[in-house]
PDB file of all heavy atoms in Angstrom:
ATOM      1  N   GLY A 467      19.322  41.029-156.742  1.00 97.00           N
ATOM      2  CA  GLY A 467      19.590  42.414-157.060  1.00 97.00           C
ATOM      3  C   GLY A 467      20.567  43.076-156.111  1.00 97.00           C
ATOM      4  O   GLY A 467      20.650  42.747-154.921  1.00 97.00           O
ATOM      5  N   ILE A 468      21.312  44.039-156.652  1.00 98.00           N
ATOM      6  CA  ILE A 468      22.168  44.908-155.840  1.00 98.00           C
ATOM      7  C   ILE A 468      22.093  46.298-156.448  1.00 98.00           C
ATOM      8  O   ILE A 468      22.028  46.450-157.674  1.00 98.00           O
ATOM      9  CB  ILE A 468      23.626  44.393-155.783  1.00 98.00           C
ATOM     10  CG1 ILE A 468      24.509  45.355-154.958  1.00 98.00           C
ATOM     11  CG2 ILE A 468      24.210  44.211-157.168  1.00 98.00           C
ATOM     12  CD1 ILE A 468      25.911  44.828-154.698  1.00 98.00           C
ATOM     13  N   TRP A 469      22.078  47.322-155.591  1.00 97.00           N
ATOM     14  CA  TRP A 469      22.017  48.699-156.088  1.00 97.00           C
ATOM     15  C   TRP A 469      22.892  49.569-155.206  1.00 97.00           C
ATOM     16  O   TRP A 469      22.877  49.444-153.977  1.00 97.00           O
ATOM     17  CB  TRP A 469      20.592  49.222-156.084  1.00 97.00           C
ATOM     18  CG  TRP A 469      20.405  50.354-157.050  1.00 97.00           C
ATOM     19  CD1 TRP A 469      20.523  51.693-156.786  1.00 97.00           C
ATOM     20  CD2 TRP A 469      20.091  50.252-158.446  1.00 97.00           C
ATOM     21  NE1 TRP A 469      20.300  52.422-157.924  1.00 97.00           N
ATOM     22  CE2 TRP A 469      20.030  51.566-158.957  1.00 97.00           C
ATOM     23  CE3 TRP A 469      19.858  49.180-159.311  1.00 97.00           C
ATOM     24  CZ2 TRP A 469      19.741  51.843-160.291  1.00 97.00           C
ATOM     25  CZ3 TRP A 469      19.567  49.449-160.635  1.00 97.00           C
ATOM     26  CH2 TRP A 469      19.513  50.763-161.125  1.00 97.00           C
ATOM     27  N   ALA A 470      23.654  50.450-155.838  1.00 96.00           N
ATOM     28  CA  ALA A 470      24.537  51.349-155.116  1.00 96.00           C
ATOM     29  C   ALA A 470      23.769  52.553-154.609  1.00 96.00           C
ATOM     30  O   ALA A 470      23.040  53.205-155.370  1.00 96.00           O
ATOM     31  CB  ALA A 470      25.676  51.804-156.021  1.00 96.00           C
ATOM     32  N   ALA A 471      23.927  52.851-153.335  1.00 93.00           N
ATOM     33  CA  ALA A 471      23.409  54.082-152.756  1.00 93.00           C
ATOM     34  C   ALA A 471      24.585  55.042-152.583  1.00 93.00           C
ATOM     35  O   ALA A 471      25.634  54.866-153.198  1.00 93.00           O
ATOM     36  CB  ALA A 471      22.724  53.779-151.428  1.00 93.00           C
ATOM     37  N   GLU A 472      24.427  56.052-151.752  1.00 88.00           N
ATOM     38  CA  GLU A 472      25.474  57.064-151.648  1.00 88.00           C
ATOM     39  C   GLU A 472      26.744  56.491-151.040  1.00 88.00           C
ATOM     40  O   GLU A 472      27.845  56.741-151.545  1.00 88.00           O
ATOM     41  CB  GLU A 472      24.979  58.245-150.818  1.00 88.00           C
ATOM     42  CG  GLU A 472      25.958  59.403-150.805  1.00 88.00           C
ATOM     43  CD  GLU A 472      25.414  60.601-150.049  1.00 88.00           C
ATOM     44  OE1 GLU A 472      24.244  60.560-149.634  1.00 88.00           O
ATOM     45  OE2 GLU A 472      26.167  61.577-149.884  1.00 88.00           O
ATOM     46  N   ARG A 473      26.622  55.719-149.975  1.00 90.00           N
ATOM     47  CA  ARG A 473      27.802  55.191-149.299  1.00 90.00           C
ATOM     48  C   ARG A 473      27.696  53.707-148.998  1.00 90.00           C
ATOM     49  O   ARG A 473      28.519  53.165-148.265  1.00 90.00           O
ATOM     50  CB  ARG A 473      28.058  55.949-147.996  1.00 90.00           C
ATOM     51  CG  ARG A 473      28.443  57.403-148.191  1.00 90.00           C
ATOM     52  CD  ARG A 473      28.788  58.065-146.870  1.00 90.00           C
ATOM     53  NE  ARG A 473      29.183  59.451-147.057  1.00 90.00           N
ATOM     54  CZ  ARG A 473      28.356  60.485-147.111  1.00 90.00           C
ATOM     55  NH1 ARG A 473      27.049  60.265-146.985  1.00 90.00           N
ATOM     56  NH2 ARG A 473      28.789  61.708-147.289  1.00 90.00           N
ATOM     57  N   SER A 474      26.684  53.054-149.514  1.00 95.00           N
ATOM     58  CA  SER A 474      26.530  51.635-149.226  1.00 95.00           C
ATOM     59  C   SER A 474      25.821  50.957-150.382  1.00 95.00           C
ATOM     60  O   SER A 474      25.403  51.603-151.343  1.00 95.00           O
ATOM     61  CB  SER A 474      25.770  51.422-147.909  1.00 95.00           C
ATOM     62  OG  SER A 474      24.499  52.032-147.955  1.00 95.00           O
ATOM     63  N   PHE A 475      25.680  49.643-150.278  1.00 97.00           N
ATOM     64  CA  PHE A 475      25.080  48.824-151.321  1.00 97.00           C
ATOM     65  C   PHE A 475      24.015  47.948-150.683  1.00 97.00           C
ATOM     66  O   PHE A 475      24.241  47.353-149.627  1.00 97.00           O
ATOM     67  CB  PHE A 475      26.153  47.943-151.988  1.00 97.00           C
ATOM     68  CG  PHE A 475      27.235  48.736-152.659  1.00 97.00           C
ATOM     69  CD1 PHE A 475      28.298  49.242-151.926  1.00 97.00           C
ATOM     70  CD2 PHE A 475      27.179  48.997-154.017  1.00 97.00           C
ATOM     71  CE1 PHE A 475      29.289  49.995-152.535  1.00 97.00           C
ATOM     72  CE2 PHE A 475      28.164  49.750-154.634  1.00 97.00           C
ATOM     73  CZ  PHE A 475      29.223  50.251-153.893  1.00 97.00           C
ATOM     74  N   PHE A 476      22.855  47.864-151.342  1.00 97.00           N
ATOM     75  CA  PHE A 476      21.755  47.055-150.839  1.00 97.00           C
ATOM     76  C   PHE A 476      21.587  45.833-151.726  1.00 97.00           C
ATOM     77  O   PHE A 476      21.631  45.922-152.953  1.00 97.00           O
ATOM     78  CB  PHE A 476      20.478  47.872-150.753  1.00 97.00           C
ATOM     79  CG  PHE A 476      20.556  48.894-149.662  1.00 97.00           C
ATOM     80  CD1 PHE A 476      21.048  50.169-149.927  1.00 97.00           C
ATOM     81  CD2 PHE A 476      20.194  48.578-148.365  1.00 97.00           C
ATOM     82  CE1 PHE A 476      21.166  51.102-148.925  1.00 97.00           C
ATOM     83  CE2 PHE A 476      20.303  49.506-147.352  1.00 97.00           C
ATOM     84  CZ  PHE A 476      20.796  50.778-147.623  1.00 97.00           C
ATOM     85  N   ILE A 477      21.394  44.678-151.096  1.00 98.00           N
ATOM     86  CA  ILE A 477      21.466  43.385-151.763  1.00 98.00           C
ATOM     87  C   ILE A 477      20.266  42.547-151.354  1.00 98.00           C
ATOM     88  O   ILE A 477      19.904  42.499-150.166  1.00 98.00           O
ATOM     89  CB  ILE A 477      22.756  42.640-151.356  1.00 98.00           C
ATOM     90  CG1 ILE A 477      23.988  43.542-151.530  1.00 98.00           C
ATOM     91  CG2 ILE A 477      22.920  41.344-152.133  1.00 98.00           C
ATOM     92  CD1 ILE A 477      25.014  43.369-150.440  1.00 98.00           C
ATOM     93  N   ALA A 478      19.652  41.870-152.316  1.00 97.00           N
ATOM     94  CA  ALA A 478      18.504  41.004-152.043  1.00 97.00           C
ATOM     95  C   ALA A 478      18.923  39.545-152.047  1.00 97.00           C
ATOM     96  O   ALA A 478      19.597  39.088-152.971  1.00 97.00           O
ATOM     97  CB  ALA A 478      17.412  41.228-153.076  1.00 97.00           C
ATOM     98  N   SER A 479      18.536  38.827-151.016  1.00 97.00           N
ATOM     99  CA  SER A 479      18.628  37.363-150.980  1.00 97.00           C
ATOM    100  C   SER A 479      17.206  36.836-151.125  1.00 97.00           C
ATOM    101  O   SER A 479      16.389  36.958-150.219  1.00 97.00           O
ATOM    102  CB  SER A 479      19.243  36.877-149.670  1.00 97.00           C
ATOM    103  OG  SER A 479      19.116  35.473-149.541  1.00 97.00           O
ATOM    104  N   THR A 480      16.910  36.248-152.280  1.00 95.00           N
ATOM    105  CA  THR A 480      15.537  35.934-152.644  1.00 95.00           C
ATOM    106  C   THR A 480      14.851  34.994-151.661  1.00 95.00           C
ATOM    107  O   THR A 480      13.691  35.194-151.312  1.00 95.00           O
ATOM    108  CB  THR A 480      15.492  35.327-154.051  1.00 95.00           C
ATOM    109  OG1 THR A 480      15.799  36.348-154.998  1.00 95.00           O
ATOM    110  CG2 THR A 480      14.128  34.759-154.387  1.00 95.00           C
ATOM    111  N   SER A 481      15.526  33.962-151.227  1.00 94.00           N
ATOM    112  CA  SER A 481      14.853  32.989-150.362  1.00 94.00           C
ATOM    113  C   SER A 481      15.647  32.678-149.106  1.00 94.00           C
ATOM    114  O   SER A 481      15.587  31.577-148.561  1.00 94.00           O
ATOM    115  CB  SER A 481      14.529  31.701-151.131  1.00 94.00           C
ATOM    116  OG  SER A 481      15.632  31.274-151.908  1.00 94.00           O
ATOM    117  N   GLY A 482      16.367  33.677-148.605  1.00 95.00           N
ATOM    118  CA  GLY A 482      16.952  33.554-147.283  1.00 95.00           C
ATOM    119  C   GLY A 482      15.938  33.924-146.218  1.00 95.00           C
ATOM    120  O   GLY A 482      14.876  34.480-146.497  1.00 95.00           O
ATOM    121  N   GLY A 483      16.257  33.608-144.983  1.00 96.00           N
ATOM    122  CA  GLY A 483      15.409  34.035-143.872  1.00 96.00           C
ATOM    123  C   GLY A 483      14.816  32.900-143.063  1.00 96.00           C
ATOM    124  O   GLY A 483      14.770  31.749-143.499  1.00 96.00           O
ATOM    125  N   ASP A 484      14.325  33.260-141.873  1.00 97.00           N
ATOM    126  CA  ASP A 484      13.804  32.271-140.930  1.00 97.00           C
ATOM    127  C   ASP A 484      12.326  31.955-141.141  1.00 97.00           C
ATOM    128  O   ASP A 484      11.882  30.865-140.773  1.00 97.00           O
ATOM    129  CB  ASP A 484      14.012  32.767-139.497  1.00 97.00           C
ATOM    130  CG  ASP A 484      15.485  32.849-139.124  1.00 97.00           C
ATOM    131  OD1 ASP A 484      16.308  32.207-139.808  1.00 97.00           O
ATOM    132  OD2 ASP A 484      15.819  33.566-138.159  1.00 97.00           O
ATOM    133  N   ALA A 485      11.553  32.889-141.681  1.00 95.00           N
ATOM    134  CA  ALA A 485      10.148  32.601-141.999  1.00 95.00           C
ATOM    135  C   ALA A 485      10.126  31.841-143.313  1.00 95.00           C
ATOM    136  O   ALA A 485      10.562  32.355-144.347  1.00 95.00           O
ATOM    137  CB  ALA A 485       9.348  33.887-142.097  1.00 95.00           C
ATOM    138  N   LYS A 486       9.639  30.616-143.308  1.00 95.00           N
ATOM    139  CA  LYS A 486       9.777  29.707-144.441  1.00 95.00           C
ATOM    140  C   LYS A 486       8.528  29.721-145.327  1.00 95.00           C
ATOM    141  O   LYS A 486       7.398  29.811-144.842  1.00 95.00           O
ATOM    142  CB  LYS A 486      10.048  28.289-143.951  1.00 95.00           C
ATOM    143  CG  LYS A 486      11.299  28.178-143.055  1.00 95.00           C
ATOM    144  CD  LYS A 486      12.559  28.676-143.757  1.00 95.00           C
ATOM    145  CE  LYS A 486      13.798  28.508-142.897  1.00 95.00           C
ATOM    146  NZ  LYS A 486      15.020  28.992-143.594  1.00 95.00           N
ATOM    147  N   ASN A 487       8.771  29.602-146.652  1.00 91.00           N
ATOM    148  CA  ASN A 487       7.652  29.659-147.595  1.00 91.00           C
ATOM    149  C   ASN A 487       7.044  28.293-147.901  1.00 91.00           C
ATOM    150  O   ASN A 487       6.100  28.197-148.679  1.00 91.00           O
ATOM    151  CB  ASN A 487       8.081  30.359-148.884  1.00 91.00           C
ATOM    152  CG  ASN A 487       9.115  29.592-149.696  1.00 91.00           C
ATOM    153  OD1 ASN A 487       9.336  28.398-149.496  1.00 91.00           O
ATOM    154  ND2 ASN A 487       9.771  30.275-150.625  1.00 91.00           N
ATOM    155  N   GLY A 488       7.588  27.228-147.320  1.00 92.00           N
ATOM    156  CA  GLY A 488       7.042  25.887-147.509  1.00 92.00           C
ATOM    157  C   GLY A 488       7.802  25.032-148.494  1.00 92.00           C
ATOM    158  O   GLY A 488       7.621  23.816-148.524  1.00 92.00           O
ATOM    159  N   ASP A 489       8.662  25.630-149.322  1.00 91.00           N
ATOM    160  CA  ASP A 489       9.458  24.863-150.280  1.00 91.00           C
ATOM    161  C   ASP A 489      10.748  24.385-149.622  1.00 91.00           C
ATOM    162  O   ASP A 489      11.448  25.176-148.974  1.00 91.00           O
ATOM    163  CB  ASP A 489       9.796  25.706-151.507  1.00 91.00           C
ATOM    164  CG  ASP A 489       8.600  25.929-152.404  1.00 91.00           C
ATOM    165  OD1 ASP A 489       7.640  25.148-152.311  1.00 91.00           O
ATOM    166  OD2 ASP A 489       8.618  26.886-153.195  1.00 91.00           O
ATOM    167  N   VAL A 490      11.060  23.120-149.815  1.00 91.00           N
ATOM    168  CA  VAL A 490      12.278  22.535-149.270  1.00 91.00           C
ATOM    169  C   VAL A 490      13.103  21.990-150.433  1.00 91.00           C
ATOM    170  O   VAL A 490      12.598  21.229-151.254  1.00 91.00           O
ATOM    171  CB  VAL A 490      11.974  21.415-148.258  1.00 91.00           C
ATOM    172  CG1 VAL A 490      13.270  20.812-147.719  1.00 91.00           C
ATOM    173  CG2 VAL A 490      11.132  21.960-147.100  1.00 91.00           C
ATOM    174  N   ASN A 491      14.349  22.403-150.515  1.00 86.00           N
ATOM    175  CA  ASN A 491      15.218  21.983-151.601  1.00 86.00           C
ATOM    176  C   ASN A 491      15.726  20.563-151.391  1.00 86.00           C
ATOM    177  O   ASN A 491      15.624  19.991-150.304  1.00 86.00           O
ATOM    178  CB  ASN A 491      16.395  22.943-151.733  1.00 86.00           C
ATOM    179  CG  ASN A 491      15.965  24.385-151.950  1.00 86.00           C
ATOM    180  OD1 ASN A 491      16.618  25.314-151.504  1.00 86.00           O
ATOM    181  ND2 ASN A 491      14.855  24.582-152.635  1.00 86.00           N
ATOM    182  N   ALA A 492      16.309  20.013-152.441  1.00 79.00           N
ATOM    183  CA  ALA A 492      16.780  18.624-152.397  1.00 79.00           C
ATOM    184  C   ALA A 492      17.829  18.407-151.317  1.00 79.00           C
ATOM    185  O   ALA A 492      17.946  17.300-150.766  1.00 79.00           O
ATOM    186  CB  ALA A 492      17.332  18.221-153.764  1.00 79.00           C
ATOM    187  N   ASP A 493      18.589  19.448-150.998  1.00 79.00           N
ATOM    188  CA  ASP A 493      19.623  19.297-149.967  1.00 79.00           C
ATOM    189  C   ASP A 493      19.086  19.523-148.558  1.00 79.00           C
ATOM    190  O   ASP A 493      19.832  19.500-147.591  1.00 79.00           O
ATOM    191  CB  ASP A 493      20.772  20.262-150.238  1.00 79.00           C
ATOM    192  CG  ASP A 493      20.384  21.720-150.003  1.00 79.00           C
ATOM    193  OD1 ASP A 493      19.169  22.008-149.935  1.00 79.00           O
ATOM    194  OD2 ASP A 493      21.288  22.556-149.880  1.00 79.00           O
ATOM    195  N   GLY A 494      17.767  19.757-148.438  1.00 87.00           N
ATOM    196  CA  GLY A 494      17.150  19.949-147.139  1.00 87.00           C
ATOM    197  C   GLY A 494      16.989  21.387-146.707  1.00 87.00           C
ATOM    198  O   GLY A 494      16.368  21.652-145.668  1.00 87.00           O
ATOM    199  N   TYR A 495      17.501  22.338-147.502  1.00 89.00           N
ATOM    200  CA  TYR A 495      17.345  23.739-147.124  1.00 89.00           C
ATOM    201  C   TYR A 495      15.900  24.186-147.338  1.00 89.00           C
ATOM    202  O   TYR A 495      15.348  24.041-148.429  1.00 89.00           O
ATOM    203  CB  TYR A 495      18.293  24.643-147.926  1.00 89.00           C
ATOM    204  CG  TYR A 495      18.063  26.108-147.639  1.00 89.00           C
ATOM    205  CD1 TYR A 495      18.500  26.675-146.449  1.00 89.00           C
ATOM    206  CD2 TYR A 495      17.367  26.910-148.544  1.00 89.00           C
ATOM    207  CE1 TYR A 495      18.261  28.009-146.166  1.00 89.00           C
ATOM    208  CE2 TYR A 495      17.133  28.255-148.267  1.00 89.00           C
ATOM    209  CZ  TYR A 495      17.575  28.790-147.080  1.00 89.00           C
ATOM    210  OH  TYR A 495      17.336  30.103-146.798  1.00 89.00           O
ATOM    211  N   ALA A 496      15.291  24.734-146.300  1.00 93.00           N
ATOM    212  CA  ALA A 496      13.927  25.254-146.371  1.00 93.00           C
ATOM    213  C   ALA A 496      13.987  26.726-146.743  1.00 93.00           C
ATOM    214  O   ALA A 496      14.602  27.536-146.051  1.00 93.00           O
ATOM    215  CB  ALA A 496      13.211  25.067-145.033  1.00 93.00           C
ATOM    216  N   GLU A 497      13.336  27.086-147.845  1.00 94.00           N
ATOM    217  CA  GLU A 497      13.416  28.444-148.357  1.00 94.00           C
ATOM    218  C   GLU A 497      12.681  29.432-147.459  1.00 94.00           C
ATOM    219  O   GLU A 497      11.603  29.152-146.946  1.00 94.00           O
ATOM    220  CB  GLU A 497      12.823  28.516-149.761  1.00 94.00           C
ATOM    221  CG  GLU A 497      13.598  27.721-150.797  1.00 94.00           C
ATOM    222  CD  GLU A 497      13.017  27.874-152.183  1.00 94.00           C
ATOM    223  OE1 GLU A 497      12.018  28.617-152.339  1.00 94.00           O
ATOM    224  OE2 GLU A 497      13.554  27.249-153.105  1.00 94.00           O
TER     225      GLU A 497
END
Side-chain angles (χ1 to χ4, degrees):
I468 178 172
W469 203 268
E472 187 176 354
R473 294 184 179 86
S474 58
F475 298 82
F476 290 90
I477 309 142
S479 170
T480 290
S481 45
D484 294 341
K486 303 302 183 180
N487 67 16
D489 287 339
V490 179
N491 303 147
D493 70 344
Y495 175 75
E497 295 183 1

